[in-house]
Amino acid sequence: MLNVQIKRKRTFTQGMLFVVLLLSSTLAFAQNKVTGTVTDKTGEPLAGANVLVAGTTIGYITDVDGKYTIEAERGQTLIFSFIGFTKQEVKVSQNVINITLEEDTKTLDEVVVVGYGVMTRKDVTSSITTVGADKLNVGVYSDPAQLLQGKVPGLTITQSSNPNASPSITLRGASTLRTGAAMEPYYIIDGVPGMSLSLISPDDIESIDVLRDATATAIYGSKAANGVIIVTTKKGKAGHTSISYSAYVAVDNVMKNYDVMNAEQLRSYAQSGGIELVNDLGADTKWQDEVQRTGFSHNHNVSISGGTEQTTYNTSINYMERQGVIRGTDMDRLIGRAFVQSKGLKDRLTLSFNINTSVTNNHTVPMDTQGKSVLDAMYYYSPLVPVRNDDGSWYENSGISQNYNPVALINENIYDTESKRIQGNGKASLKLIDGLVYNLSLAYQNEQNIYSNYNSTKSLIANGMDGKAERSSVTNKKKVFETYLNYDKTFKDVHKLGLMGGYSWEESNDNDGFQLTTYNYYNDDLTYHNMGMANKIDKNGLGGWALSTLRMISFYGRVNYSYASKYLFQATVRRDGSSAFGNNNRWATFPSVSLAWRLSEEGFIKNLNIFDDLKLRMGYGVSGNSLGFDVFTATQIYGATGWYDHLTSTGESEQIHILGATRNANPDLKWERTGMFNIGLDFGFFNNRLGGTIEYYDKRTKDLIADYAVSTTKYQYNWLTTNVGEISNKGIELTINAMPVKTNDFSWETSLNLSHNKNKVVKLSNSMYSVDYFDKANVDAGGFATATNQRVMEGSPIGQFYLWKWAGVKDGVSNFYVYSESSLTEIYKDQGGFEGKVTKQEDGRYIDNETGEYVTTSKPLYDDRAKAGSAQPKLNAGWSNTFTYKNWTMTAFFQGVFGNKILNASRAYLSNIGNVTAGKNVLASIADENPVTDNNSHAPSDRYLENGSYVRLSSLTLGYNFGRMNDYIKGLRVYATCNNVFTITGYKGLDPEVNLGGIEPGIDNRQTYPRTRTFMFGVNVNF
C-alpha cells in the first residue's frame, strides 16, 4: 500500500516541487560535495524530499529519482524530511549518503487525553478533538475558553469585547432549561476535575482536548452532559534549564456605534413633527466620544523549565492588564504556577506536585436595566445637554424617566471585584507490575470573591442616600480525592487490552459569604472603605449568602480492547451519588459503549490504494447534569419573606423578619440524563496530507429540571422544582484538515470545520405537572414592559421567537396582524362582534371578509403574538489557514454563523419616537423611517427580528521566526495580530456575534458592549 501511495504522492508533487533551492552566501565556504539517494523502506525513490544543512539556509530538493547533491563540510549535519515520513538527521562523514525514510505515523500515534488516562489517536473509538497550543486562537483573551472559538465542530462560543465578561459556550446544542454552569461543558485541568479556568494562563497551555460525545464523556458521569474540556499544561523536560519570555501589547478601538441623531438633526426632526424639546440647552454633545476610548492592554509571561531524567520542573508567572474601550472597564490578573515531578524506586514511582494561584481585579461601570447603564445611556442621552453645568456639577434631569448621564454614571459609581484563587494538586503513580499502575490524586481549590460597590453622594443611582456602600465576600472551597488503577498490556503483538477502575470523593463548600450595605456619608473620600463611618445601615442589603455543602462519591471503570489496531472496543460505566438530589434519587449509573473498525487495515481497502486511514466509529452513552446545583435544590427551605413591626416589652417598635417557605422539598428530584448516539468516519488521503472526520449524533436529554406551579393546599410554596421535560439535539459535523502545498520554502496548511445542530423541545408536561410553554426574553420595551419575546414550547427549539407580526404603518401608527379573538372583539365591538366578518387563515391570521385584507391593530394583545423564527443557527463554521514562507508565517482564521435570527432590541428602543418627546435621543434613520405620530415604532415585533448570519476574518497574524540568534538566545519570534479584521453581514446592529447560549439566545439587548478591533504586537524569546 505504501509503495503505491508514494507513487501517487510523487505524481501529486513532481510538477511543483522539482525545483532546486537557491543557496545562500554561506555556500561559498562549503567545499565538500555530498550526493546520495532518498528512498522509502520499499526502495522507491522519494522525489521532492527536502535536504537541508542544519543551522544554515543551504538546501536541496531531490529529483524524480530521489537523488540530491549538496555542499556540506564534514562534521555538519544534514536534515532529510518529507511529508508523511519521519525526519532524519545524519552527520556528514563521507561523500555519499543514502537515506531510507520511515513512514511517519505520528498522526495516528499522537497521544489523546481521555478520562483518567491517555490513548493513541488510532485506538480512539469516541469523538474527541485535540487542539494543540500552536493551533489555538491568538488575541487579547482573559478566558482560556476563548482560545477555542471556531476550532472545534459543534462547540459554539460567543465572545464579548468586555474585559470583564466570560464567553458563552455550548457544545452540540442546549440540553437543559437551567442557566449558568448547567449549560456549559465540564472542565478538567491536568486531570483534576472541576477546576477554575482563571488559574491558567494561555501561555502555559500545551493542548486542549474536547470530549464531544457521550462515549467519551460518560466516564465523568453526572457532570458531563454538556461535554468535557480537558486542559493539559506544559511540563518540564529533561535537559538544561530553559527560560522563556513572551509578551504582547495591544490596542482596541470600537468597530461600530449606533448612528444616533446629533443636535442639529434632533432639533430639525422635532421641528418637522411639531415636538417641543423639553431640555434643549444649546449643546451638541457626542456621548459616545465622552465615554469611549482606545483601550490599551499588555501581557507578560515568564517560564522556567528543565530537569534531569529523574526530576523535571516547570514554573511560570503571568501578568495581564486589559483596558476596555468604555472608560472605567478594566481588569488585571496575576497568575503564578509551579510544577515538579520526580521519579524513584527505580522509576517505578512517579510523584508530582502542582500549585496554581491567581489574583484578578475587575473594574466596571453601571450596566443595569431601566436605563441605568453606560452602554445604554451613551446612545439615548440627549445631545442637546452638556456633560456638566456651568458650576461644574453633572447635568442631570431626574424628571425624565430612566434618564442617566453616562459620564456621571462612570465617575460617580464604583464597582470593583477582587478574586483570589489557589489550587494545589498532588499525584502519585506506582508501577506495581508490568502494565499495572496505581494512581492517587489529591486536589484542593479555594476561591474568594470580594465585591465592593460605592454610589457617591452625587450618584443618581442612589439619589437621596448621600452615598451608598455595599461590600460582600464569598468563599468557595473544593476538595477532590481520586484513586484508580490502569492496566495496559499487549498480548502476542495484536491483542491490546486496557483496564481502568477507580473511586472518587468530592466535597464543595460554596457560597460561604456575608454582605453589608450602608448609606448616608458625610463625604465621598473613603468610598467603600471604612463603612463604619456611615450613619445608616440598610437592613434589606444584608445579602442572602447561604453555605452549601455538596458531596459526591463515584465509582468508575473502563475497558478497552484492540485487535491489531483494526477492531476496537470500549465500554465505560460510572456510578455517582450526590447530596444535591432528593433522598429517593441520590444515586445514578452512567454507562457507555463504543466500537471502531479501522477499515484501512483490511486487505480489500488497502488494495484500493486510496486511503491512508479509514476508521468507522459508533457508540452510545449516557451522561448526567448535576452542574449548577446547590444543596438546597431538593429540600424544604424557609427564609425571610418580609418585615413586621414588633412591640417590645418597653413599648418600642422594632422590625422583625417574617419567615416563610421559599422552596418545597422534592425527595424524588433526580438527575437530568442525556443519552447520545454517535457515528463517525475518520479518513486520510495522500500520505495524510488530506484528512478529516464526519460525524452524526442524536442527543436526547430527559428528566429536565424546571419550576412548575403547584397548589398551596398540598405544598407550602406555590412552585416545585421537579423533573419533567425532554430536549432533542441532532446534528452533523465535518472537519477537513489539509496541506495543499508543501515545498522547501513554502507551505499552506488549512483546516475547515462545519457543524449543523437541530434543537427541539420534545416535552414540557407529564401527568402530574403541566405547562403549555415558558415565556422568556423580556426586553423591557417602554409601554410594553410585560411583553416577552421568546417561548420555550413543545415542538420548537430553545430560542424560539414569539412576537407580534408587524404589518407596517397605517394612519401614522405601526400596526400588527391579529391572531386573537380578544383583539377581534375589540376591533369589531361597534359592529356587534366579528362572527361572520372574518376568516381565519392557516397561519393564524385573520382576513376581513369585506375588504379582503388582513385584520390589523395598533393595540396588539398578549395572544396576538406568533412564532417568528429561531435564534438557533443552521450552520457554524471555522476556517483556519497557515501560510509559511521560509521564516515567515501568516495565519488567517475565519469564523461564521449562518441561518439564525437576532432580535435587535437596541435598535427597537432607539426607534422609540416617545424618546424625543421625553427628552432623549433616537436613531438618525428615524427621520426617514418613522412618522412622529408612530407611538408603536419601538414595539418588540418581527420588525426588529433580523438575519444574524455573518462571516468574520476573526484574526490575521504575521510572524517572523529568527531562530537561534546566539549562545544565549535559542529562539526569537515576533508577530503582529489583528482581531476582528472585517465582518460580512446584513445585520443592522452593532455586531452579529450575540449570545447563543443559555435559555434566551439571540437577544441583542441594550447592554451590548461595543465590539472592538484589536491590534497586538508580540514577542516570544527562548533563552
Side-chain angles (χ1 to χ4, degrees):
M1 175 182 175
L2 179 62
N3 194 10
V4 179
Q5 287 177 334
I6 298 305
K7 291 179 180 178
R8 292 173 57 84
K9 165 67 180 174
R10 184 166 64 233
T11 303
F12 179 80
T13 58
Q14 265 183 334
M16 60 181 177
L17 298 182
F18 187 29
V19 180
V20 179
L21 287 172
L22 293 176
L23 302 180
S24 70
S25 59
T26 57
L27 189 60
F29 298 96
Q31 301 299 321
N32 189 55
K33 182 178 291 186
V34 180
T35 62
T37 304
V38 180
T39 61
D40 64 18
K41 63 182 180 181
T42 67
E44 282 291 316
L46 295 178
N50 297 320
V51 185
L52 182 70
V53 180
T56 75
T57 57
I58 302 172
Y60 195 91
I61 295 180
T62 58
D63 62 19
V64 292
D65 297 317
K67 297 183 180 298
Y68 72 93
T69 300
I70 196 167
E71 301 286 347
E73 296 179 340
R74 290 179 181 268
Q76 288 186 306
T77 299
L78 296 183
I79 302 174
F80 299 85
S81 61
F82 192 71
I83 292 294
F85 290 81
T86 303
K87 183 187 297 183
Q88 222 179 110
E89 297 184 5
V90 178
K91 187 169 287 188
V92 177
S93 59
Q94 56 192 41
N95 293 78
V96 178
I97 300 177
N98 296 319
I99 292 294
T100 300
L101 293 181
E102 296 291 331
E103 184 179 6
D104 184 3
T105 59
K106 66 179 181 180
T107 300
L108 298 179
D109 290 334
E110 71 174 351
V111 173
V112 178
V113 180
V114 296
Y116 308 102
V118 296
M119 298 178 65
T120 58
R121 173 67 65 182
K122 65 182 179 183
D123 290 335
V124 170
T125 60
S126 305
S127 180
I128 302 175
T129 298
T130 301
V131 184
D134 59 327
K135 303 298 183 184
L136 296 172
N137 291 328
V138 178
V140 184
Y141 299 133
S142 52
D143 191 308
Q146 296 169 296
L147 303 171
L148 290 173
Q149 186 181 36
K151 298 296 184 179
V152 180
L155 188 67
T156 302
I157 299 178
T158 304
Q159 301 191 43
S160 169
S161 294
N162 185 346
N164 299 305
S166 297
S168 163
I169 306 174
T170 304
L171 180 62
R172 289 187 166 181
S175 56
T176 183
L177 299 178
R178 299 176 295 120
T179 58
M183 275 278 190
E184 297 198 353
Y186 189 51
Y187 297 102
I188 314 291
I189 300 176
D190 288 330
V192 182
M195 296 294 107
S196 172
L197 282 181
S198 63
L199 287 163
I200 302 299
S201 163
D203 295 281
D204 289 332
I205 294 176
E206 181 71 31
S207 64
I208 300 178
D209 293 86
V210 182
L211 281 54
R212 294 157 52 209
D213 74 338
T215 63
T217 64
I219 196 65
Y220 289 107
S222 62
K223 299 175 182 178
N226 300 317
V228 177
I229 294 179
I230 302 177
V231 179
T232 302
T233 60
K234 296 176 180 177
K235 308 295 189 298
K237 297 180 180 179
H240 67 277
T241 299
S242 175
I243 302 175
S244 299
Y245 170 71
S246 60
Y248 66 74
V249 295
V251 291
D252 282 82
N253 287 288
V254 175
M255 292 178 63
K256 181 181 179 181
N257 277 308
Y258 280 110
D259 183 18
V260 293
M261 290 187 178
N262 58 32
E264 182 181 351
Q265 291 172 317
L266 187 55
R267 293 185 184 105
S268 176
Y269 180 70
Q271 183 179 8
S272 67
I275 299 175
E276 182 179 353
L277 295 172
V278 299
N279 59 347
D280 189 351
L281 301 184
D284 186 8
T285 305
K286 297 177 175 59
W287 291 103
Q288 296 99 310
D289 295 342
E290 295 292 337
V291 303
Q292 294 176 1
R293 64 184 175 188
T294 295
F296 176 77
S297 304
H298 60 105
N299 181 86
H300 308 270
N301 194 90
V302 178
S303 65
I304 304 173
S305 64
T308 66
E309 292 297 328
Q310 298 301 115
T311 302
T312 57
Y313 61 88
N314 184 293
T315 183
S316 67
I317 189 168
N318 176 268
Y319 180 72
M320 175 187 190
E321 281 190 9
R322 185 177 179 187
Q323 195 178 68
V325 293
I326 300 297
R327 298 182 189 276
T329 58
D330 310 270
M331 70 85 67
D332 63 80
R333 176 179 294 159
L334 178 66
I335 297 176
R337 176 178 178 269
F339 170 84
V340 63
Q341 178 174 289
S342 186
K343 296 180 180 180
L345 300 179
K346 297 183 178 180
D347 293 343
R348 300 181 72 87
L349 175 66
T350 301
L351 298 174
S352 65
F353 180 75
N354 187 47
I355 186 168
N356 299 297
T357 62
S358 72
V359 179
T360 305
N361 294 293
N362 301 97
H363 311 281
T364 189
V365 296
M367 295 182 186
D368 205 351
T369 57
Q370 302 291 310
K372 291 180 284 189
S373 169
V374 175
L375 305 179
D376 191 9
M378 67 180 179
Y379 298 120
Y380 75 64
Y381 214 65
S382 174
L384 307 178
V385 301
V387 177
R388 293 181 183 268
N389 298 310
D390 292 339
D391 61 2
S393 62
W394 303 110
Y395 172 83
E396 297 199 274
N397 187 342
S398 58
I400 300 175
S401 175
Q402 301 184 18
N403 191 56
Y404 296 85
N405 182 328
V407 182
L409 284 176
I410 293 174
N411 288 275
E412 300 300 338
N413 302 279
I414 301 172
Y415 295 97
D416 294 342
T417 302
E418 182 181 37
S419 301
K420 300 177 182 179
R421 292 176 173 85
I422 183 169
Q423 179 253 326
N425 178 36
K427 289 185 178 181
S429 297
L430 178 63
K431 184 178 179 181
L432 301 175
I433 58 174
D434 186 27
L436 181 62
V437 179
Y438 171 71
N439 301 277
L440 176 70
S441 174
L442 291 168
Y444 174 81
Q445 178 174 291
N446 183 305
E447 58 181 31
Q448 181 187 34
N449 299 306
I450 302 173
Y451 305 97
S452 303
N453 305 335
Y454 184 73
N455 309 115
S456 79
T457 56
K458 301 174 184 177
S459 171
L460 195 59
I461 289 180
N463 191 29
M465 301 186 75
D466 294 323
K468 176 186 174 184
E470 179 181 286
R471 299 200 77 177
S472 58
S473 175
V474 60
T475 300
N476 302 318
K477 299 177 183 178
K478 189 181 189 72
K479 304 171 188 175
V480 180
F481 167 77
E482 293 197 298
T483 179
Y484 54 96
L485 287 163
N486 282 109
Y487 180 73
D488 294 284
K489 193 74 173 177
T490 301
F491 302 93
K492 296 184 179 181
D493 296 327
V494 293
H495 302 282
K496 185 185 295 185
L497 178 66
L499 301 174
M500 187 276 293
Y503 165 83
S504 174
W505 176 91
E506 182 178 316
E507 180 181 278
S508 298
N509 291 278
D510 297 330
N511 293 316
D512 184 9
F514 61 89
Q515 180 175 306
L516 176 65
T517 304
T518 60
Y519 63 100
N520 196 293
Y521 286 81
Y522 292 108
N523 57 47
D524 299 319
D525 292 346
L526 298 176
T527 65
Y528 51 70
H529 301 289
N530 197 350
M531 297 172 68
M533 293 300 295
N535 293 304
K536 295 183 180 180
I537 296 177
D538 184 357
K539 289 185 178 180
N540 291 312
L542 296 178
W545 301 110
L547 174 64
S548 171
T549 300
L550 275 176
R551 295 186 180 91
M552 177 174 287
I553 295 175
S554 304
F555 302 90
Y556 46 85
R558 177 176 58 227
V559 57
N560 297 88
Y561 172 74
S562 167
Y563 175 75
S565 290
K566 183 189 299 184
Y567 308 114
L568 312 169
F569 168 82
Q570 175 180 287
T572 70
V573 64
R574 184 170 180 126
R575 178 75 170 166
D576 281 341
S578 171
S579 61
F581 296 96
N583 292 330
N584 300 334
N585 287 297
R586 290 195 163 177
W587 287 89
T589 303
F590 303 97
S592 77
V593 62
S594 56
L595 304 168
W597 179 18
R598 291 191 65 212
L599 291 91
S600 53
E601 294 300 305
E602 299 286 1
F604 66 91
I605 295 294
K606 285 184 177 181
N607 294 336
L608 296 176
N609 300 317
I610 297 175
F611 300 99
D612 297 313
D613 182 40
L614 186 64
K615 180 167 68 175
L616 179 66
R617 295 179 282 104
M618 184 182 301
Y620 179 82
V622 178
S623 52
N625 190 349
S626 65
L627 299 178
F629 283 105
D630 57 38
V631 74
F632 309 110
T633 304
T635 59
Q636 183 78 56
I637 298 178
Y638 298 90
T641 59
W643 299 89
Y644 76 94
D645 290 327
H646 170 69
L647 286 177
T648 67
S649 58
T650 61
E652 296 178 335
S653 176
E654 64 177 359
Q655 284 193 321
I656 302 295
H657 270 306
I658 301 172
L659 297 182
T662 57
R663 184 190 291 275
N664 291 314
N666 185 358
D668 296 320
L669 189 70
K670 58 186 178 182
W671 320 78
E672 295 178 331
R673 296 174 64 88
T674 296
M676 187 188 302
F677 169 77
N678 192 94
I679 183 169
L681 184 69
D682 304 328
F683 52 86
F685 307 92
F686 310 119
N687 279 338
N688 286 313
R689 282 182 61 171
L690 174 64
T693 298
I694 185 168
E695 310 253 357
Y696 169 79
Y697 62 88
D698 187 343
K699 173 183 173 184
R700 306 197 179 204
T701 305
K702 298 182 179 181
D703 299 321
L704 294 178
I705 296 174
D707 291 334
Y708 285 78
V710 292
S711 172
T712 53
T713 60
K714 183 178 180 180
Y715 296 93
Q716 295 187 48
Y717 191 63
N718 59 348
W719 292 91
L720 179 70
T721 302
T722 188
N723 304 90
V724 175
E726 181 178 339
I727 289 179
S728 166
N729 286 279
K730 298 179 181 179
I732 298 176
E733 299 164 349
L734 174 67
T735 302
I736 299 291
N737 300 305
M739 185 169 282
V741 180
K742 172 63 178 178
T743 68
N744 195 54
D745 282 346
F746 178 76
S747 66
W748 169 30
E749 185 177 1
T750 185
S751 177
L752 173 70
N753 71 78
L754 304 171
S755 58
H756 163 75
N757 181 75
K758 184 177 181 181
N759 175 271
K760 184 172 73 171
V761 177
V762 177
K763 186 175 70 170
L764 286 178
S765 301
N766 60 20
S767 59
M768 294 184 63
Y769 308 101
S770 178
V771 67
D772 293 330
Y773 51 80
F774 294 114
D775 274 329
K776 299 291 180 180
N778 189 327
V779 298
D780 191 30
F784 303 95
T786 61
T788 55
N789 301 282
Q790 288 183 346
R791 276 187 177 178
V792 177
M793 54 196 301
E794 293 182 1
S796 296
I798 290 177
Q800 173 66 60
F801 288 104
Y802 206 78
L803 300 165
W804 290 312
K805 298 294 188 72
W806 189 57
V809 177
K810 179 181 179 181
D811 299 327
V813 179
S814 286
N815 274 247
F816 307 89
Y817 293 112
V818 168
Y819 288 82
S820 67
E821 293 187 1
S822 298
S823 282
L824 292 173
T825 300
E826 179 69 21
I827 295 169
Y828 292 93
K829 64 181 178 180
D830 294 334
Q831 303 178 35
F834 64 87
E835 293 184 2
K837 297 184 176 66
V838 298
T839 301
K840 189 174 184 179
Q841 304 299 296
E842 290 185 1
D843 61 4
R845 293 183 289 179
Y846 289 87
I847 285 183
D848 188 302
N849 295 335
E850 183 176 340
T851 65
E853 298 178 351
Y854 282 106
V855 180
T856 62
T857 179
S858 61
K859 299 178 180 180
L861 300 179
Y862 180 83
D863 290 335
D864 284 320
R865 294 173 301 159
K867 288 185 179 182
S870 168
Q872 298 288 341
K874 290 182 172 60
L875 182 69
N876 286 274
W879 182 31
S880 181
N881 297 272
T882 301
F883 305 91
T884 302
Y885 176 72
K886 293 187 176 179
N887 292 349
W888 291 93
T889 301
M890 185 177 75
T891 301
F893 173 61
F894 296 83
Q895 53 114 185
V897 175
F898 307 91
N900 60 308
K901 296 292 185 180
I902 299 175
L903 180 60
N904 194 340
S906 298
R907 188 167 72 91
Y909 175 76
L910 293 173
S911 299
N912 187 355
I913 304 302
N915 280 355
V916 180
T917 305
K920 299 181 183 180
N921 205 358
V922 291
L923 293 172
S925 59
I926 291 300
D928 300 321
E929 297 177 359
N930 296 83
V932 295
T933 56
D934 189 1
N935 55 10
N936 286 341
S937 58
H938 64 296
S941 66
D942 66 346
R943 180 182 187 180
Y944 299 105
L945 191 65
E946 303 181 30
N947 188 340
S949 302
Y950 71 92
V951 174
R952 167 173 288 151
L953 177 51
S954 185
S955 67
L956 183 65
T957 299
L958 180 64
Y960 186 82
N961 193 343
F962 290 91
R964 188 182 185 94
M965 302 290 290
N966 48 47
D967 291 339
Y968 304 101
I969 300 178
K970 295 191 299 182
L972 173 64
R973 178 178 180 267
V974 295
Y975 64 92
T977 295
C978 179
N979 291 121
N980 300 326
V981 183
F982 65 79
T983 303
I984 301 173
T985 183
Y987 182 62
K988 298 178 182 178
L990 297 182
D991 188 78
E993 188 177 340
V994 302
N995 186 358
L996 295 178
I999 201 70
E1000 298 178 357
I1003 305 293
D1004 187 352
N1005 60 29
R1006 293 158 56 185
Q1007 310 302 319
T1008 301
Y1009 199 94
R1011 180 69 60 181
T1012 63
R1013 179 175 290 116
T1014 306
F1015 294 93
M1016 61 184 296
F1017 306 90
V1019 60
N1020 304 109
V1021 188
N1022 295 318
F1023 299 98

